[in-house]
Amino acid sequence: MELQRLGIKLFVENPSSLEMRSFIPIFHSWIQRQAIEGHLLIDIHDYSHVYRGPGILLVAHEGNFSMDLSEDRLGLFYYRKQPSKGSLRDHIQTIFRTALEACRLLEEESELEGIRFKTDEVLVVANDRLFAPNTPETFLQLQPVFTEFFEELFDGNDFTLNHRTDPKERFSLTVQSTHSMDIKTLLERT
């Protein structure tokens, strides 16, 4: 399956301690020093006033990063806009690694008072209704690739892939693991 436009969301463990607008100066500093390898960081948009919206959005040529508030759950959502090289599995790995790198940078920000990201739950979204309609057939086609990737990432720990079946929504699945690892450990595995 030729699927390029994928997104990954990792959820914040302690969202109540964070002020949404505190991400604006942090993302500005990322632009100034071009902090994400392989990305041309361009601009920031403040959507924190939008109910269950994208929150604070950092635009890059290759993809967008946002401190996303959808489903009333704060998390870092990275959405890849440009194709990457290799197979679908390689593409998933590239996207996941980029999202983990952004999470690592945020966890190291002293201004965020100890932000931490959960790694036992991940949301994967395909923003391509043509190549990935939200159907059981799409899930069956993609399931082996995602299973292989997450088996390696979680080092054989039990996990489940839960297809979100609402046909009005984009294809998405939730990956839930029985074991949580820190961001740096997962980065080493990607």
Side-chain angles (χ1 to χ4, degrees):
M1 175 177 278
E2 185 179 327
L3 182 61
Q4 291 285 330
R5 289 178 266 181
L6 287 171
I8 303 281
K9 182 174 179 180
L10 291 134
F11 299 97
V12 174
E13 277 185 10
N14 51 344
S16 61
S17 66
L18 298 168
E19 167 58 40
M20 184 58 74
R21 294 181 55 81
S22 63
F23 292 98
I24 294 172
I26 291 167
F27 285 166
H28 274 295
S29 74
W30 288 13
I31 291 172
Q32 290 168 349
R33 64 182 204 265
Q34 292 296 303
I36 304 287
E37 184 179 335
H39 285 69
L40 175 60
L41 305 177
I42 300 169
D43 199 7
I44 298 167
H45 299 278
D46 181 356
Y47 295 106
S48 60
H49 61 283
V50 177
Y51 179 67
R52 293 184 173 180
I56 307 301
L57 177 71
L58 171 59
V59 178
H61 174 72
E62 297 76 11
N64 293 339
F65 301 82
S66 68
M67 290 310 298
D68 182 79
L69 294 164
S70 62
E71 301 176 6
D72 284 332
R73 296 186 68 198
L74 180 62
L76 179 110
F77 184 74
Y78 172 68
Y79 165 68
R80 181 79 183 191
K81 300 183 293 189
Q82 297 296 323
S84 63
K85 296 178 182 173
S87 66
L88 176 57
R89 192 209 177 284
D90 295 334
H91 189 59
I92 294 166
Q93 183 170 347
T94 297
I95 291 168
F96 206 83
R97 181 165 186 72
T98 302
L100 288 169
E101 181 61 24
C103 289
R104 183 192 64 78
L105 288 171
L106 288 171
E107 286 186 351
E108 291 175 355
E109 289 287 345
S110 59
E111 295 84 12
L112 294 178
E113 301 177 17
I115 186 174
R116 290 288 171 254
F117 289 89
K118 297 172 49 155
T119 62
D120 58 354
E121 182 181 10
V122 177
L123 176 64
V124 179
V125 178
N127 198 24
D128 194 331
R129 294 177 193 262
L130 177 63
F131 288 114
N134 196 10
T135 63
E137 293 78 22
T138 302
F139 179 65
L140 288 174
Q141 194 173 10
L142 293 174
Q143 185 179 14
V145 179
F146 282 109
T147 298
E148 176 189 338
F149 175 76
F150 285 106
E151 278 178 351
E152 288 179 27
L153 185 69
F154 293 138
D155 194 28
N157 289 306
D158 288 338
F159 68 92
T160 57
L161 298 177
N162 300 305
H163 176 213
R164 295 178 168 197
T165 58
D166 185 346
K168 295 178 185 175
E169 297 293 327
R170 298 173 292 179
F171 176 84
S172 60
L173 52 94
T174 304
V175 183
Q176 293 180 302
S177 173
T178 58
H179 186 71
S180 184
M181 293 178 239
D182 62 50
I183 295 292
K184 290 180 183 178
T185 300
L186 288 180
L187 266 170
E188 291 170 2
R189 294 174 184 263
T190 59

